[in-house]
Amino acid sequence: MKKLAVLLFALTIISNLCSAQKASHTFALGDSTFLLDGKPLQLISGEMHCTRIPRAYWRQRMKMAKAMGLNSIGTYVFWNAQEPLEGKYDFTGNNDIAEFVRIAKEEGLWVVLRPSPYVCAEWEFGGYPWWLLKDKTLKVRSKDPKFLKYYHDYIMQLGKQLSPLLVTNGGNILMVQIENEYGSYSNDKEYLDINRKIFREGGFSGLLFTCDGPTQLPAGYLPGYLPAVNGLDDPKAVKALINKYHDGKGPYYIAEWYPGWFDSWGTPHAGSNADKDAKKLDEVLTAGISINLYMFHGGTTRDFMNGANMNKKDPYDPQTSSYDYDAPLDESGNPTAKFYKFREVIEKHLPAGEKLPAVPATNKAMAIPNINLVSRAALFSNAGVPVVSAKPLCFEDLNQGYGFVLYRTTLKNAASGLLKIKEMRDYATVYLNGKRISVLDRRFKQDSLQINNAKKGDVLDILVENNGRINYGPFLIDNRHGITEKVTLNDTELTGWKMYKFPFSTVNSFKYLANKAAGKLQPALYKGTFTLKAVGDTYLDLHGYGKGFVFLNGHNLGKYWNIGPQQTIYIPAGWLKKGINEIVVFDELKSGHTKISALNHPILNEVVKE
């Protein structure tokens, strides 16, 4: 009997623990507010993306969110990060979206999940995987059965990860967005309803919603489901718009409020007025409207995952790797003046007796010494085995998503005249017999150059970079990269191409030699090491370099470009090592680099160099 009693007692404890873990809430739409367990809940949310933040810092960023007064986190999920290759899913490391959500719960934060396969977010191809473009007939964001199958399969996998974390299942995900700014693209309500059905099949029960800009909302909302609004912060206008398309009632949710903006290459760093933003936040909260700050913390778009804007009037416009966004937390996660102003506003709206937690200490920052670059790998000397074709093949036909492709042909006849690359995407350096003769930039609609006195047998090289697929607007359907059509010289098509693939998923396979005289002005990788006794957040200074990217200890840190605004690169402490660190810099425009200078950056000024 005694053993039986002990067993029953143990089973009772286990049962109670399981019940506690599965304890669920109700989350519903009231006429004017959201209702959590039947009581009004005003969402004060901030956007963060797990893929843009080093995993080791997820919890610290959540604590900062709580300290500013946020009660929830808005987050996109990037399909092309979760399924980088067809049928190959990655929910590990920085792509572990479920763990990101669980940490938010542990830190007392609700989550508004935004897993629409299209996200925009200044992210490569708006979140769609590049491999969808391998089929020239497939049309993304449509009722194309081929697209819907890939979409369906992905959401089924995502549902396995995230549906257990819904608020109705004891988790902290309050509601789920099924499409994103669809009104900027089309107005097919049947397509929107297909989205809804796929999400339901994937296990996403509970509240579903859409969000659109104020002029897009009529086309982009799904009747019967909450229409949230982006970029509108006048309380009366927000309420009137949502009332119009939601049966005369709320709740009222600004899914994207912009107290900052993103940066594009070749433009000044974007920003906003913190005092004006704080005043507007106060007005919205006073009106009882729920809000999501886009962004609370932007982080960094690493690897080659930056997107680009383009529409019928504006030219191609790629974005920087830094996604600082002039947000309350800067790129390295430190609170800005905007953070403290917003904290003061939110504190005014706390229920009686509640206090905000103290602001966590900032991360340790440090400066690193000058880094000597002792070896060099010339790109053209590391070309490897080519793909041979009569006509040039685009990236997708070469089964390559990102990076560079070197297109090479030998001229069959002597010629002078106009060399034209039809539909070149996005940035090309052109060489004749190894000497650079031109740079072509899609931003300026450049696709041609004059060639003089070329001889039969001359070697023509065109190194083409994917500078970021378009992430917004109607050109989503036209996103293939490289040389997508043909090359002509004096209106005669050039044939007989060799294509060398440089995806730069790693830089370990290149043959490095001693870094001596620069030689010809050709693209190259420069390698060096440096030793640290301690680690901390820091930045690299790439002033004096041309255009390229940086690898540190195997991590692709992102891009730099001498046209600005980004010529420094943030390094999180977790990617540095005590002892020897290895760095590789690729530069396609300038040569002869021998060092990277230590950076005099504001967050490093009072830190002793290691």
Side-chain angles (χ1 to χ4, degrees), residues 233-235 257 259 272-287 291 337-338 340-346 348-349:
D233 54 17
D234 175 75
W257 175 59
S272 65
N273 184 290
D275 290 317
K276 291 181 179 178
D277 290 339
K279 183 176 184 233
K280 184 56 66 175
L281 178 61
D282 191 25
E283 292 174 3
V284 169
L285 296 182
T286 299
I291 192 169
K338 194 174 288 184
Y340 290 102
K341 291 179 186 295
F342 288 2
R343 175 179 158 94
E344 289 178 9
V345 169
I346 296 170
K348 287 170 46 181
H349 294 272

PDB file of all heavy atoms in Angstrom, residues 233-235 257 259 272-287 291 337-338 340-346 348-349:
ATOM      1  N   ASP A 233      -0.483  56.291 -38.072  1.00  0.00           N
ATOM      2  CA  ASP A 233      -0.427  56.447 -36.614  1.00  0.00           C
ATOM      3  C   ASP A 233      -1.322  57.572 -36.088  1.00  0.00           C
ATOM      4  O   ASP A 233      -1.199  57.959 -34.927  1.00  0.00           O
ATOM      5  CB  ASP A 233       1.016  56.642 -36.131  1.00  0.00           C
ATOM      6  CG  ASP A 233       1.739  57.780 -36.836  1.00  0.00           C
ATOM      7  OD1 ASP A 233       1.067  58.621 -37.465  1.00  0.00           O
ATOM      8  OD2 ASP A 233       2.983  57.825 -36.764  1.00  0.00           O
ATOM      9  N   ASP A 234      -2.214  58.079 -36.926  1.00  0.00           N
ATOM     10  CA  ASP A 234      -3.233  59.004 -36.431  1.00  0.00           C
ATOM     11  C   ASP A 234      -4.373  58.180 -35.841  1.00  0.00           C
ATOM     12  O   ASP A 234      -5.026  57.417 -36.566  1.00  0.00           O
ATOM     13  CB  ASP A 234      -3.749  59.882 -37.560  1.00  0.00           C
ATOM     14  CG  ASP A 234      -4.894  60.760 -37.097  1.00  0.00           C
ATOM     15  OD1 ASP A 234      -4.628  61.746 -36.394  1.00  0.00           O
ATOM     16  OD2 ASP A 234      -6.064  60.436 -37.416  1.00  0.00           O
ATOM     17  N   PRO A 235      -4.611  58.264 -34.516  1.00  0.00           N
ATOM     18  CA  PRO A 235      -5.593  57.375 -33.885  1.00  0.00           C
ATOM     19  C   PRO A 235      -6.968  57.388 -34.533  1.00  0.00           C
ATOM     20  O   PRO A 235      -7.578  56.331 -34.732  1.00  0.00           O
ATOM     21  CB  PRO A 235      -5.637  57.882 -32.439  1.00  0.00           C
ATOM     22  CG  PRO A 235      -4.286  58.468 -32.206  1.00  0.00           C
ATOM     23  CD  PRO A 235      -3.909  59.098 -33.514  1.00  0.00           C
ATOM     24  N   TRP A 257       4.572  50.222 -37.075  1.00  0.00           N
ATOM     25  CA  TRP A 257       4.744  51.663 -36.864  1.00  0.00           C
ATOM     26  C   TRP A 257       6.233  51.942 -37.016  1.00  0.00           C
ATOM     27  O   TRP A 257       7.063  51.233 -36.445  1.00  0.00           O
ATOM     28  CB  TRP A 257       4.240  52.071 -35.481  1.00  0.00           C
ATOM     29  CG  TRP A 257       4.491  53.507 -35.168  1.00  0.00           C
ATOM     30  CD1 TRP A 257       4.048  54.586 -35.861  1.00  0.00           C
ATOM     31  CD2 TRP A 257       5.265  54.021 -34.069  1.00  0.00           C
ATOM     32  NE1 TRP A 257       4.479  55.753 -35.274  1.00  0.00           N
ATOM     33  CE2 TRP A 257       5.230  55.436 -34.171  1.00  0.00           C
ATOM     34  CE3 TRP A 257       5.962  53.456 -33.019  1.00  0.00           C
ATOM     35  CZ2 TRP A 257       5.879  56.259 -33.254  1.00  0.00           C
ATOM     36  CZ3 TRP A 257       6.619  54.269 -32.108  1.00  0.00           C
ATOM     37  CH2 TRP A 257       6.563  55.658 -32.225  1.00  0.00           C
ATOM     38  N   PRO A 259       9.216  54.055 -36.272  1.00  0.00           N
ATOM     39  CA  PRO A 259      10.047  55.071 -35.614  1.00  0.00           C
ATOM     40  C   PRO A 259      11.501  54.960 -36.077  1.00  0.00           C
ATOM     41  O   PRO A 259      12.446  54.956 -35.282  1.00  0.00           O
ATOM     42  CB  PRO A 259       9.906  54.704 -34.133  1.00  0.00           C
ATOM     43  CG  PRO A 259       9.757  53.216 -34.145  1.00  0.00           C
ATOM     44  CD  PRO A 259       9.047  52.860 -35.429  1.00  0.00           C
ATOM     45  N   SER A 272      14.994  59.137 -37.646  1.00  0.00           N
ATOM     46  CA  SER A 272      13.767  59.870 -37.363  1.00  0.00           C
ATOM     47  C   SER A 272      13.957  60.668 -36.082  1.00  0.00           C
ATOM     48  O   SER A 272      14.914  60.444 -35.325  1.00  0.00           O
ATOM     49  CB  SER A 272      12.576  58.914 -37.221  1.00  0.00           C
ATOM     50  OG  SER A 272      12.740  58.066 -36.103  1.00  0.00           O
ATOM     51  N   ASN A 273      13.024  61.589 -35.817  1.00  0.00           N
ATOM     52  CA  ASN A 273      13.109  62.466 -34.652  1.00  0.00           C
ATOM     53  C   ASN A 273      12.531  61.752 -33.434  1.00  0.00           C
ATOM     54  O   ASN A 273      11.338  61.446 -33.386  1.00  0.00           O
ATOM     55  CB  ASN A 273      12.345  63.759 -34.933  1.00  0.00           C
ATOM     56  CG  ASN A 273      12.481  64.760 -33.808  1.00  0.00           C
ATOM     57  OD1 ASN A 273      11.948  64.567 -32.729  1.00  0.00           O
ATOM     58  ND2 ASN A 273      13.186  65.843 -34.078  1.00  0.00           N
ATOM     59  N   ALA A 274      13.373  61.475 -32.460  1.00  0.00           N
ATOM     60  CA  ALA A 274      12.962  60.690 -31.291  1.00  0.00           C
ATOM     61  C   ALA A 274      11.869  61.389 -30.492  1.00  0.00           C
ATOM     62  O   ALA A 274      10.944  60.732 -29.981  1.00  0.00           O
ATOM     63  CB  ALA A 274      14.170  60.400 -30.399  1.00  0.00           C
ATOM     64  N   ASP A 275      11.938  62.714 -30.365  1.00  0.00           N
ATOM     65  CA  ASP A 275      10.923  63.443 -29.593  1.00  0.00           C
ATOM     66  C   ASP A 275       9.558  63.359 -30.272  1.00  0.00           C
ATOM     67  O   ASP A 275       8.531  63.135 -29.617  1.00  0.00           O
ATOM     68  CB  ASP A 275      11.343  64.906 -29.414  1.00  0.00           C
ATOM     69  CG  ASP A 275      12.530  65.053 -28.472  1.00  0.00           C
ATOM     70  OD1 ASP A 275      12.548  64.380 -27.436  1.00  0.00           O
ATOM     71  OD2 ASP A 275      13.433  65.833 -28.804  1.00  0.00           O
ATOM     72  N   LYS A 276       9.546  63.541 -31.598  1.00  0.00           N
ATOM     73  CA  LYS A 276       8.281  63.453 -32.329  1.00  0.00           C
ATOM     74  C   LYS A 276       7.723  62.035 -32.267  1.00  0.00           C
ATOM     75  O   LYS A 276       6.509  61.826 -32.133  1.00  0.00           O
ATOM     76  CB  LYS A 276       8.478  63.895 -33.775  1.00  0.00           C
ATOM     77  CG  LYS A 276       8.751  65.381 -33.936  1.00  0.00           C
ATOM     78  CD  LYS A 276       8.906  65.754 -35.408  1.00  0.00           C
ATOM     79  CE  LYS A 276       9.168  67.258 -35.566  1.00  0.00           C
ATOM     80  NZ  LYS A 276       9.372  67.620 -36.996  1.00  0.00           N
ATOM     81  N   ASP A 277       8.617  61.038 -32.372  1.00  0.00           N
ATOM     82  CA  ASP A 277       8.176  59.647 -32.298  1.00  0.00           C
ATOM     83  C   ASP A 277       7.569  59.340 -30.930  1.00  0.00           C
ATOM     84  O   ASP A 277       6.539  58.664 -30.830  1.00  0.00           O
ATOM     85  CB  ASP A 277       9.352  58.697 -32.556  1.00  0.00           C
ATOM     86  CG  ASP A 277       9.819  58.724 -33.998  1.00  0.00           C
ATOM     87  OD1 ASP A 277       9.042  59.142 -34.876  1.00  0.00           O
ATOM     88  OD2 ASP A 277      10.966  58.323 -34.252  1.00  0.00           O
ATOM     89  N   ALA A 278       8.201  59.824 -29.883  1.00  0.00           N
ATOM     90  CA  ALA A 278       7.694  59.576 -28.526  1.00  0.00           C
ATOM     91  C   ALA A 278       6.318  60.216 -28.330  1.00  0.00           C
ATOM     92  O   ALA A 278       5.423  59.616 -27.723  1.00  0.00           O
ATOM     93  CB  ALA A 278       8.685  60.107 -27.496  1.00  0.00           C
ATOM     94  N   LYS A 279       6.133  61.402 -28.882  1.00  0.00           N
ATOM     95  CA  LYS A 279       4.835  62.078 -28.782  1.00  0.00           C
ATOM     96  C   LYS A 279       3.747  61.280 -29.502  1.00  0.00           C
ATOM     97  O   LYS A 279       2.630  61.112 -29.007  1.00  0.00           O
ATOM     98  CB  LYS A 279       4.940  63.480 -29.382  1.00  0.00           C
ATOM     99  CG  LYS A 279       3.677  64.303 -29.264  1.00  0.00           C
ATOM    100  CD  LYS A 279       3.895  65.715 -29.789  1.00  0.00           C
ATOM    101  CE  LYS A 279       2.624  66.527 -29.566  1.00  0.00           C
ATOM    102  NZ  LYS A 279       2.136  67.176 -30.731  1.00  0.00           N
ATOM    103  N   LYS A 280       4.096  60.762 -30.681  1.00  0.00           N
ATOM    104  CA  LYS A 280       3.128  59.978 -31.447  1.00  0.00           C
ATOM    105  C   LYS A 280       2.797  58.668 -30.725  1.00  0.00           C
ATOM    106  O   LYS A 280       1.629  58.247 -30.678  1.00  0.00           O
ATOM    107  CB  LYS A 280       3.683  59.691 -32.835  1.00  0.00           C
ATOM    108  CG  LYS A 280       2.720  58.964 -33.747  1.00  0.00           C
ATOM    109  CD  LYS A 280       1.389  59.682 -33.914  1.00  0.00           C
ATOM    110  CE  LYS A 280       1.509  60.994 -34.621  1.00  0.00           C
ATOM    111  NZ  LYS A 280       0.179  61.620 -34.885  1.00  0.00           N
ATOM    112  N   LEU A 281       3.798  58.029 -30.133  1.00  0.00           N
ATOM    113  CA  LEU A 281       3.559  56.794 -29.378  1.00  0.00           C
ATOM    114  C   LEU A 281       2.604  57.070 -28.222  1.00  0.00           C
ATOM    115  O   LEU A 281       1.698  56.275 -27.947  1.00  0.00           O
ATOM    116  CB  LEU A 281       4.888  56.236 -28.857  1.00  0.00           C
ATOM    117  CG  LEU A 281       4.799  54.972 -28.000  1.00  0.00           C
ATOM    118  CD1 LEU A 281       4.188  53.812 -28.783  1.00  0.00           C
ATOM    119  CD2 LEU A 281       6.186  54.593 -27.461  1.00  0.00           C
ATOM    120  N   ASP A 282       2.785  58.186 -27.554  1.00  0.00           N
ATOM    121  CA  ASP A 282       1.910  58.561 -26.439  1.00  0.00           C
ATOM    122  C   ASP A 282       0.468  58.722 -26.924  1.00  0.00           C
ATOM    123  O   ASP A 282      -0.485  58.257 -26.276  1.00  0.00           O
ATOM    124  CB  ASP A 282       2.422  59.858 -25.813  1.00  0.00           C
ATOM    125  CG  ASP A 282       1.734  60.183 -24.498  1.00  0.00           C
ATOM    126  OD1 ASP A 282       1.231  59.253 -23.830  1.00  0.00           O
ATOM    127  OD2 ASP A 282       1.684  61.376 -24.142  1.00  0.00           O
ATOM    128  N   GLU A 283       0.278  59.349 -28.076  1.00  0.00           N
ATOM    129  CA  GLU A 283      -1.071  59.548 -28.623  1.00  0.00           C
ATOM    130  C   GLU A 283      -1.745  58.214 -28.933  1.00  0.00           C
ATOM    131  O   GLU A 283      -2.932  58.013 -28.632  1.00  0.00           O
ATOM    132  CB  GLU A 283      -0.994  60.391 -29.900  1.00  0.00           C
ATOM    133  CG  GLU A 283      -0.584  61.837 -29.678  1.00  0.00           C
ATOM    134  CD  GLU A 283      -0.384  62.579 -30.998  1.00  0.00           C
ATOM    135  OE1 GLU A 283      -0.623  61.961 -32.069  1.00  0.00           O
ATOM    136  OE2 GLU A 283       0.022  63.761 -30.965  1.00  0.00           O
ATOM    137  N   VAL A 284      -1.004  57.309 -29.524  1.00  0.00           N
ATOM    138  CA  VAL A 284      -1.562  56.003 -29.896  1.00  0.00           C
ATOM    139  C   VAL A 284      -1.950  55.214 -28.647  1.00  0.00           C
ATOM    140  O   VAL A 284      -3.045  54.625 -28.573  1.00  0.00           O
ATOM    141  CB  VAL A 284      -0.554  55.220 -30.760  1.00  0.00           C
ATOM    142  CG1 VAL A 284      -0.989  53.760 -30.922  1.00  0.00           C
ATOM    143  CG2 VAL A 284      -0.404  55.877 -32.126  1.00  0.00           C
ATOM    144  N   LEU A 285      -1.071  55.190 -27.660  1.00  0.00           N
ATOM    145  CA  LEU A 285      -1.363  54.425 -26.446  1.00  0.00           C
ATOM    146  C   LEU A 285      -2.515  55.049 -25.671  1.00  0.00           C
ATOM    147  O   LEU A 285      -3.353  54.330 -25.104  1.00  0.00           O
ATOM    148  CB  LEU A 285      -0.109  54.328 -25.570  1.00  0.00           C
ATOM    149  CG  LEU A 285       1.074  53.559 -26.174  1.00  0.00           C
ATOM    150  CD1 LEU A 285       2.234  53.493 -25.183  1.00  0.00           C
ATOM    151  CD2 LEU A 285       0.661  52.157 -26.609  1.00  0.00           C
ATOM    152  N   THR A 286      -2.577  56.365 -25.652  1.00  0.00           N
ATOM    153  CA  THR A 286      -3.682  57.042 -24.971  1.00  0.00           C
ATOM    154  C   THR A 286      -5.022  56.686 -25.605  1.00  0.00           C
ATOM    155  O   THR A 286      -6.046  56.566 -24.925  1.00  0.00           O
ATOM    156  CB  THR A 286      -3.469  58.571 -25.013  1.00  0.00           C
ATOM    157  OG1 THR A 286      -2.245  58.884 -24.328  1.00  0.00           O
ATOM    158  CG2 THR A 286      -4.611  59.305 -24.338  1.00  0.00           C
ATOM    159  N   ALA A 287      -5.010  56.469 -26.917  1.00  0.00           N
ATOM    160  CA  ALA A 287      -6.242  56.120 -27.632  1.00  0.00           C
ATOM    161  C   ALA A 287      -6.621  54.654 -27.472  1.00  0.00           C
ATOM    162  O   ALA A 287      -7.635  54.211 -28.011  1.00  0.00           O
ATOM    163  CB  ALA A 287      -6.077  56.450 -29.115  1.00  0.00           C
ATOM    164  N   ILE A 291      -0.043  48.399 -30.767  1.00  0.00           N
ATOM    165  CA  ILE A 291       0.967  48.861 -31.710  1.00  0.00           C
ATOM    166  C   ILE A 291       2.169  47.933 -31.706  1.00  0.00           C
ATOM    167  O   ILE A 291       2.500  47.330 -30.679  1.00  0.00           O
ATOM    168  CB  ILE A 291       1.403  50.311 -31.353  1.00  0.00           C
ATOM    169  CG1 ILE A 291       2.223  50.939 -32.480  1.00  0.00           C
ATOM    170  CG2 ILE A 291       2.142  50.353 -30.023  1.00  0.00           C
ATOM    171  CD1 ILE A 291       2.439  52.437 -32.301  1.00  0.00           C
ATOM    172  N   ALA A 337      18.902  56.934 -27.350  1.00  0.00           N
ATOM    173  CA  ALA A 337      18.065  57.967 -26.733  1.00  0.00           C
ATOM    174  C   ALA A 337      16.593  57.679 -26.997  1.00  0.00           C
ATOM    175  O   ALA A 337      15.726  57.926 -26.145  1.00  0.00           O
ATOM    176  CB  ALA A 337      18.458  59.342 -27.276  1.00  0.00           C
ATOM    177  N   LYS A 338      16.284  57.142 -28.156  1.00  0.00           N
ATOM    178  CA  LYS A 338      14.903  56.789 -28.502  1.00  0.00           C
ATOM    179  C   LYS A 338      14.351  55.737 -27.550  1.00  0.00           C
ATOM    180  O   LYS A 338      13.181  55.792 -27.147  1.00  0.00           O
ATOM    181  CB  LYS A 338      14.880  56.263 -29.945  1.00  0.00           C
ATOM    182  CG  LYS A 338      13.513  56.168 -30.564  1.00  0.00           C
ATOM    183  CD  LYS A 338      13.616  55.782 -32.043  1.00  0.00           C
ATOM    184  CE  LYS A 338      14.158  56.921 -32.877  1.00  0.00           C
ATOM    185  NZ  LYS A 338      14.175  56.611 -34.328  1.00  0.00           N
ATOM    186  N   TYR A 340      15.044  55.326 -24.370  1.00  0.00           N
ATOM    187  CA  TYR A 340      14.696  55.920 -23.077  1.00  0.00           C
ATOM    188  C   TYR A 340      13.479  56.835 -23.191  1.00  0.00           C
ATOM    189  O   TYR A 340      12.663  56.906 -22.263  1.00  0.00           O
ATOM    190  CB  TYR A 340      15.904  56.667 -22.506  1.00  0.00           C
ATOM    191  CG  TYR A 340      16.996  55.716 -22.059  1.00  0.00           C
ATOM    192  CD1 TYR A 340      18.128  55.503 -22.834  1.00  0.00           C
ATOM    193  CD2 TYR A 340      16.871  54.998 -20.864  1.00  0.00           C
ATOM    194  CE1 TYR A 340      19.117  54.616 -22.437  1.00  0.00           C
ATOM    195  CE2 TYR A 340      17.857  54.105 -20.456  1.00  0.00           C
ATOM    196  CZ  TYR A 340      18.972  53.920 -21.243  1.00  0.00           C
ATOM    197  OH  TYR A 340      19.932  53.014 -20.847  1.00  0.00           O
ATOM    198  N   LYS A 341      13.325  57.512 -24.315  1.00  0.00           N
ATOM    199  CA  LYS A 341      12.137  58.346 -24.492  1.00  0.00           C
ATOM    200  C   LYS A 341      10.877  57.488 -24.588  1.00  0.00           C
ATOM    201  O   LYS A 341       9.836  57.825 -24.015  1.00  0.00           O
ATOM    202  CB  LYS A 341      12.299  59.224 -25.739  1.00  0.00           C
ATOM    203  CG  LYS A 341      13.360  60.310 -25.595  1.00  0.00           C
ATOM    204  CD  LYS A 341      13.491  61.139 -26.849  1.00  0.00           C
ATOM    205  CE  LYS A 341      14.649  62.119 -26.745  1.00  0.00           C
ATOM    206  NZ  LYS A 341      14.439  63.130 -25.693  1.00  0.00           N
ATOM    207  N   PHE A 342      10.972  56.370 -25.309  1.00  0.00           N
ATOM    208  CA  PHE A 342       9.822  55.469 -25.415  1.00  0.00           C
ATOM    209  C   PHE A 342       9.521  54.827 -24.060  1.00  0.00           C
ATOM    210  O   PHE A 342       8.361  54.616 -23.711  1.00  0.00           O
ATOM    211  CB  PHE A 342      10.096  54.385 -26.455  1.00  0.00           C
ATOM    212  CG  PHE A 342      10.089  54.875 -27.882  1.00  0.00           C
ATOM    213  CD1 PHE A 342       9.882  56.214 -28.198  1.00  0.00           C
ATOM    214  CD2 PHE A 342      10.291  53.990 -28.936  1.00  0.00           C
ATOM    215  CE1 PHE A 342       9.873  56.665 -29.508  1.00  0.00           C
ATOM    216  CE2 PHE A 342      10.286  54.425 -30.253  1.00  0.00           C
ATOM    217  CZ  PHE A 342      10.084  55.761 -30.534  1.00  0.00           C
ATOM    218  N   ARG A 343      10.541  54.504 -23.327  1.00  0.00           N
ATOM    219  CA  ARG A 343      10.361  53.916 -21.992  1.00  0.00           C
ATOM    220  C   ARG A 343       9.577  54.864 -21.085  1.00  0.00           C
ATOM    221  O   ARG A 343       8.676  54.444 -20.349  1.00  0.00           O
ATOM    222  CB  ARG A 343      11.731  53.584 -21.394  1.00  0.00           C
ATOM    223  CG  ARG A 343      11.724  53.073 -19.951  1.00  0.00           C
ATOM    224  CD  ARG A 343      13.168  52.782 -19.525  1.00  0.00           C
ATOM    225  NE  ARG A 343      13.313  52.794 -18.080  1.00  0.00           N
ATOM    226  CZ  ARG A 343      13.239  51.715 -17.305  1.00  0.00           C
ATOM    227  NH1 ARG A 343      13.013  50.533 -17.849  1.00  0.00           N
ATOM    228  NH2 ARG A 343      13.406  51.814 -15.991  1.00  0.00           N
ATOM    229  N   GLU A 344       9.909  56.140 -21.157  1.00  0.00           N
ATOM    230  CA  GLU A 344       9.183  57.130 -20.343  1.00  0.00           C
ATOM    231  C   GLU A 344       7.710  57.190 -20.729  1.00  0.00           C
ATOM    232  O   GLU A 344       6.829  57.296 -19.860  1.00  0.00           O
ATOM    233  CB  GLU A 344       9.826  58.512 -20.519  1.00  0.00           C
ATOM    234  CG  GLU A 344      11.189  58.665 -19.870  1.00  0.00           C
ATOM    235  CD  GLU A 344      11.788  60.034 -20.135  1.00  0.00           C
ATOM    236  OE1 GLU A 344      11.065  60.904 -20.682  1.00  0.00           O
ATOM    237  OE2 GLU A 344      12.970  60.238 -19.817  1.00  0.00           O
ATOM    238  N   VAL A 345       7.441  57.130 -22.033  1.00  0.00           N
ATOM    239  CA  VAL A 345       6.044  57.172 -22.500  1.00  0.00           C
ATOM    240  C   VAL A 345       5.288  55.940 -22.018  1.00  0.00           C
ATOM    241  O   VAL A 345       4.179  56.042 -21.481  1.00  0.00           O
ATOM    242  CB  VAL A 345       6.007  57.266 -24.039  1.00  0.00           C
ATOM    243  CG1 VAL A 345       4.584  57.036 -24.547  1.00  0.00           C
ATOM    244  CG2 VAL A 345       6.518  58.627 -24.506  1.00  0.00           C
ATOM    245  N   ILE A 346       5.861  54.766 -22.223  1.00  0.00           N
ATOM    246  CA  ILE A 346       5.167  53.531 -21.851  1.00  0.00           C
ATOM    247  C   ILE A 346       4.938  53.470 -20.350  1.00  0.00           C
ATOM    248  O   ILE A 346       3.895  53.001 -19.876  1.00  0.00           O
ATOM    249  CB  ILE A 346       5.960  52.317 -22.359  1.00  0.00           C
ATOM    250  CG1 ILE A 346       5.998  52.321 -23.892  1.00  0.00           C
ATOM    251  CG2 ILE A 346       5.350  51.008 -21.852  1.00  0.00           C
ATOM    252  CD1 ILE A 346       6.948  51.299 -24.499  1.00  0.00           C
ATOM    253  N   LYS A 348       4.222  55.796 -18.400  1.00  0.00           N
ATOM    254  CA  LYS A 348       3.026  56.591 -18.067  1.00  0.00           C
ATOM    255  C   LYS A 348       1.740  55.794 -18.198  1.00  0.00           C
ATOM    256  O   LYS A 348       0.737  56.104 -17.562  1.00  0.00           O
ATOM    257  CB  LYS A 348       2.934  57.806 -18.995  1.00  0.00           C
ATOM    258  CG  LYS A 348       3.937  58.903 -18.726  1.00  0.00           C
ATOM    259  CD  LYS A 348       3.918  59.939 -19.840  1.00  0.00           C
ATOM    260  CE  LYS A 348       2.518  60.370 -20.230  1.00  0.00           C
ATOM    261  NZ  LYS A 348       2.516  61.366 -21.329  1.00  0.00           N
ATOM    262  N   HIS A 349       1.765  54.764 -19.033  1.00  0.00           N
ATOM    263  CA  HIS A 349       0.550  54.010 -19.343  1.00  0.00           C
ATOM    264  C   HIS A 349       0.477  52.674 -18.595  1.00  0.00           C
ATOM    265  O   HIS A 349      -0.415  51.872 -18.876  1.00  0.00           O
ATOM    266  CB  HIS A 349       0.460  53.780 -20.855  1.00  0.00           C
ATOM    267  CG  HIS A 349       0.276  55.036 -21.637  1.00  0.00           C
ATOM    268  ND1 HIS A 349      -0.970  55.590 -21.914  1.00  0.00           N
ATOM    269  CD2 HIS A 349       1.175  55.901 -22.184  1.00  0.00           C
ATOM    270  CE1 HIS A 349      -0.815  56.704 -22.601  1.00  0.00           C
ATOM    271  NE2 HIS A 349       0.483  56.917 -22.786  1.00  0.00           N
TER     272      HIS A 349
END
